[in-house]
Amino acid sequence: MFRTLGVGAAAASLLLLAGSASPASAQASPRYGEEAPPTGQITITVATVNGSGCRPGSAAVAVAPDNTAFTVTYSEYLAQAGKDTRPTDSRKNCQIALNVHVPQGFTYAIAKADYRGYAQLAPGAVGLEQAGYYFQGSSETARKSHRFTGPYDANWQSSDETGIDALVYAPCGEKRYFNINTELRVDAKGSDPKLTSYMAMDSTDGSINTKYHFAWKQCPR
């Protein structure tokens, strides 16, 4: 059976502005990277959205109030295989280009990415999530994959973390899009053909999202 998806409130806006961090959070020791987050405003807009898992208008971005991370929420990102599905349903992908504006004098890298969703996999079925990201004009990070095997009927989560010595920072003083490439796959060849398996990375109420943790440092003066 197909899962019917609606476009929820998460896709209503493609631009959310972050408020200034409180003095307490600005002075706290950074969890990732070399510096504490800047206290100025950060804005992120979705420049382009492409892929079978995210039509335009189905992805929203929000910056954490303390400037430590941002989230991407999808509303129609689902791969499925098995009964009543088409071959093209088994693989979905999404490529998002983000225009990130940070306070002057600072640059950022992505230290960690947390991916979340829901999966219902019949016995013998396999789900796969993989992702990579890069700054415009730079090489993509190594795509990291996470495999889930049926039987599975629960929320799923995976994390990709980069060591501090391997962080790639946005070039200081240059405007570069930050690109995120994600993919979901479901293979149901080893399961009962009468059953449908799916893997989703979406939310109709904003409660499920992917989270990207910033690492900050000040640019040379």
Side-chain angles (χ1 to χ4, degrees), residues 33-215:
E34 301 176 12
E35 306 283 347
T39 58
Q41 187 180 64
I42 298 169
T43 64
I44 301 179
T45 59
V46 179
T48 61
V49 178
N50 294 290
S52 55
C54 58
R55 66 177 180 81
S58 67
V61 181
V63 183
D66 61 0
N67 290 347
T68 60
F70 70 90
T71 59
V72 180
T73 305
Y74 305 94
S75 62
E76 299 180 355
Y77 203 164
L78 172 96
Q80 57 184 352
K83 183 181 179 182
D84 297 330
T85 66
R86 300 165 297 181
T88 54
D89 294 333
S90 64
R91 177 188 178 273
K92 298 294 180 179
N93 74 299
C94 183
Q95 300 180 5
I96 299 182
L98 300 178
N99 195 0
V100 182
H101 294 274
V102 303
Q104 187 174 3
F106 283 85
T107 185
Y108 71 94
I110 300 301
K112 184 182 179 184
D114 298 321
Y115 301 92
R116 298 172 56 210
Y118 192 89
Q120 187 175 84
L121 303 172
V126 177
L128 181 74
E129 174 271 323
Q130 64 176 352
Y133 41 84
Y134 62 98
F135 293 107
Q136 181 183 8
S138 302
S139 299
E140 182 175 301
T141 60
R143 291 175 67 85
K144 297 181 180 179
S145 301
H146 302 273
R147 178 185 171 101
F148 301 84
T149 58
Y152 194 101
D153 188 2
N155 291 322
W156 62 266
Q157 180 170 336
S158 62
S159 295
D160 299 336
E161 190 162 2
T162 303
I164 190 170
D165 294 335
L167 292 174
V168 178
Y169 286 87
C172 286
E174 297 183 23
K175 293 183 178 180
R176 301 279 188 95
Y177 286 150
F178 179 65
N179 298 281
I180 301 171
N181 291 334
T182 58
E183 181 179 342
L184 294 178
R185 293 189 185 188
V186 175
D187 185 349
K189 296 184 180 67
S191 65
D192 187 335
K194 298 179 182 179
L195 301 176
T196 303
S197 295
Y198 70 83
M199 188 170 182
M201 189 159 58
D202 61 22
S203 176
T204 56
D205 60 4
S207 62
I208 295 178
N209 53 49
T210 62
K211 187 173 185 178
Y212 297 87
H213 301 263
F214 285 124

Side-chain angles (χ1 to χ4, degrees), residues 12-33:
S13 172
L14 293 182
L15 172 59
L16 292 175
L17 302 182
S20 296
S22 65
S25 64
Q27 295 172 3
S29 297
R31 183 176 178 184
Y32 303 105

